[in-house]
């Protein structure tokens, strides 16, 4: 499928509305992940948000990362949620009960688990923008890197030690939420060993009130398992070794591991460029170990990386986008070329039934594929961005550009949905999702390969565009209108 360049009109509308969404979700020193469904700061969302905002304001992008770092635990862990003011989000702070954890930060309310380490990838992107602009932006970004380098290193070291105590070269996750791909079929086998006990406190889900169709979200049975694992973390007082000895879900995650490897490479690079000595070699060693772990997990029959269930010792064979983890961390040029062809080929982005040739979360050719359900098939713009970023980094500009253009075409309605139905292009989940708007800004800023150009942030609202041929859809019912 050929996807054409966005017109100048599309570009202006998209940039304006993406900026408007991010401004609307801005709470001063952080950005909520979405206005209603996710009214707090999420860790990996914040990384994507920061790199998008950097195309408009480098200082504001750095503030996003600084706020995230304010929630860092004494162990080095960056928690997956920093809670803002009270809201109807569930599970809330009363459920997380992180006061049982010795390592929690003072004065900041957080969850007690983590999310993928995208942040230094964002930071290096911001630094790149700042250097291109020069002047105070450059000074600010470089000073920020020097100041926060030890905190990023502590974050990566936490993942490399507390979450890989036996040096498998795979980061251990203790909850599907830690992967960012909550209900992915990657986790079906490990979750089949999670059985909520009678001691589990009752719960009422609040997420379903914010979507038009419950089938777009995980099921109640899945939620019960998520909350049971949360109880197990509380019982272990959020101590990783204690949880490992008692918890039901312990899996080596290939995507998190590949991101850790890529981010550690970048941290070493930007540290060395700025004359930092301490920690650079450690960072390179982390990158090597996790790159090796990811490559070792690749199934020669499929060329996809596989998560490792550390409770059963079995690799998990699922055609999910996480299988392309080697693209993110590199290390085997022949495999990268094969993965590029696979990703763009008929099982993935080139699948004949896809509305847009954008990375789906699960291959449409897989028996696990479900086109409307969350991380079981829909397209997530952030995943597409990650794969485009990875291809670009390994010198595959043409392939990267094809994902970028398709990604922009998908977002041209300017709804910035959380995820998209891959066969029809329908917007699913939340609207005005911050990371989706951020990705649009970054993709737009990269319109000329090799030369990122800043977009202008418009401060007034622009109408949503509903392209002909696509039925308008709403988040809460009622007509789609220009607001
Ligand atoms: C989703 O996860 C949260 C739990 O962390 C939820 O469903 O309540 C996931 O898509 C996750 O990857 C994302 O970071 C978060 C906020 O966008 O929402």
């Amino acid at each position: 499928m050929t996807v054409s360049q966005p017109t100048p009109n599309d570009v202006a509308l998209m940039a304006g509305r993406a900026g408007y969404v991010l401004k609307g979700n801005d709470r001063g020193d952080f950005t909520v992940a979405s206005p209603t469904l996710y009214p707090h700061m999420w860790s990996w969302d914040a990384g994507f948000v920061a790199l998008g905002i950097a195309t408009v304001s480098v200082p504001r992008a750095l503030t996003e990362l600084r706020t995230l770092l304010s929630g860092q635990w004494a162990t080095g862990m960056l928690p997956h949620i920093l809670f803002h003011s009270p809201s109807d989000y569930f599970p809330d702070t009363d459920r997380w009960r992180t006061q049982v954890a010795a390592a929690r930060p003072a004065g900041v309310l957080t969850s007690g688990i983590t999310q993928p380490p995208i942040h230094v990838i964002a930071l290096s992107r911001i630094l790149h923008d700042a250097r291109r602009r020069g002047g105070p932006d450059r000074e600010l970004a470089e000073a920020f890197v020097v100041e926060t380098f030890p905190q990023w290193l502590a974050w990566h070291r936490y993942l490399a030690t507390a979450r890989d105590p036996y040096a498998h070269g795979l980061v251990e996750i203790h909850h599907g939420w830690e992967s960012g791909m909550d209900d992915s079929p990657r986790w079906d086998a490990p979750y089949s060993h999670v059985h909520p006990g009678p001691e589990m406190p009752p719960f009422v889900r609040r997420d379903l009130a914010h979507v038009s169709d419950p089938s777009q979200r995980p099921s109640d049975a899945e939620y019960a398992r998520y909350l049971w694992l949360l109880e197990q973390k509380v019982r272990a007082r959020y101590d990783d070794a204690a949880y490992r000895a008692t918890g039901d879900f312990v899996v080596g995650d290939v995507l998190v591991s590949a991101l850790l490897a890529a981010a550690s490479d970048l941290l070493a690079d930007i540290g060395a460029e700025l004359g930092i000595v301490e920690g650079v070699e450690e960072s390179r060693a982390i990158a090597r170990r996790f790159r090796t772990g990811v490559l070792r997990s690749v199934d020669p029959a499929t060329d996809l990386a596989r998560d490792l269930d550390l409770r059963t010792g079995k690799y998990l064979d699922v055609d999910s986008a996480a299988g392309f983890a080697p693209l993110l961390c590199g290390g085997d040029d022949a495999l990268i070329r094969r993965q590029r062809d696979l990703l763009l080929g008929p099982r993935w982005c080139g699948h004949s039934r896809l509305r847009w040739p954008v990375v789906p979360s699960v291959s449409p050719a897989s028996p696990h594929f479900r086109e409307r359900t969350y991380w079981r098939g829909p397209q997530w713009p952030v995943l597409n961005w990650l794969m485009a970023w990875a291809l670009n980094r390994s010198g595959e500009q043409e392939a990267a550009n094809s994902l970028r253009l398709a990604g922009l075409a998908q977002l041209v309605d300017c709804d910035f949905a959380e995820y998209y139905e891959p066969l029809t292009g329908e917007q699913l989940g939340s609207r005005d999702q911050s990371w989706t708007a951020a990705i649009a800004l970054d993709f737009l800023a990269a319109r000329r390969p090799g030369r990122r150009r800043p977009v202008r942030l418009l401060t007034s609202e622009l109408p949503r565009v509903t392209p002909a041929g696509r039925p308008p859809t709403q988040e809460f019912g009622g007509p789609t209108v220009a607001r």
Side-chain angles (χ1 to χ4, degrees), residues 245-256:
T246 54
D248 288 335
F249 184 107
V250 185
V251 182
D253 179 318
V254 282
L255 192 78
V256 169

Side-chain angles (χ1 to χ4, degrees), residues 38 42 44-45 80 89 115 180 182 217 374-375 380 433:
Y38 307 114
W42 260 259
W44 78 322
D45 298 53
H80 101 298
Y89 181 77
Q115 266 194 333
D182 307 5
R217 297 280 306 169
Y374 216 37
W375 288 96
W380 290 72
Q433 183 86 7

